């Protein structure tokens, strides 16, 4: 996975106050990236908008992200268009 993606996941995990929006359009993170994001989102209290359009996320990745949203109450917008969910 790309260095920039991993850096953003680390920022999420640290609750970086400057990271209120994250646009990963077309980053092709797949289910593995979805799992990494989900783990970081569970403890994040800053991010409000996460755009994951065209990332090759499948059902497995979407289910893991949905589980993280049960814990994360700060995220308001989650864009998952043009993935392979369902």
């Amino acid at each position: 996975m790309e260095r920039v993606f991993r850096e953003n996941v680390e920022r999420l995990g640290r609750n970086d106050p400057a990271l209120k929006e994250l646009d990963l359009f077309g980053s092709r993170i797949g289910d593995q990236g979805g799992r990494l994001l989900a783990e970081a989102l569970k403890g994040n209290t800053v991010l409000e908008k996460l755009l994951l359009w065209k990332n090759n996320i499948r059902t497995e990745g979407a289910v893991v992200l949905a589980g993280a949203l049960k814990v994360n109450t700060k995220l308001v917008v989650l864009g998952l268009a043009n993935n392979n969910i369902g």
Side-chain angles (χ1 to χ4, degrees):
M1 234 160 281
E2 290 187 32
R3 179 182 54 81
V4 173
F5 172 73
R6 291 199 180 272
E7 288 173 358
N8 280 313
V9 170
E10 288 175 17
R11 289 177 67 198
L12 282 173
R14 290 192 320 262
N15 268 317
D16 182 339
L19 191 59
K20 293 187 181 285
E21 295 185 10
L22 181 56
D23 186 350
L24 295 171
F25 178 89
S27 297
R28 296 186 245 169
I29 63 170
D31 289 337
Q32 180 183 1
R35 285 190 295 275
L36 292 171
L37 283 172
E39 284 304 310
L41 282 172
K42 286 179 183 176
N44 185 277
T45 58
V46 178
L47 191 72
E48 297 173 357
K49 184 176 184 179
L50 177 59
L51 302 177
L52 298 174
W53 301 328
K54 294 185 101 175
N55 270 287
N56 297 327
I57 296 172
R58 297 177 171 268
T59 302
E60 177 188 339
V63 167
V64 174
L65 284 165
L69 294 180
K70 291 179 181 177
V71 179
N72 182 306
T73 58
K74 187 66 174 181
L75 193 69
V76 178
V77 176
L78 175 61
L80 287 169
N82 295 339
N83 282 287
N84 300 314
I85 301 169

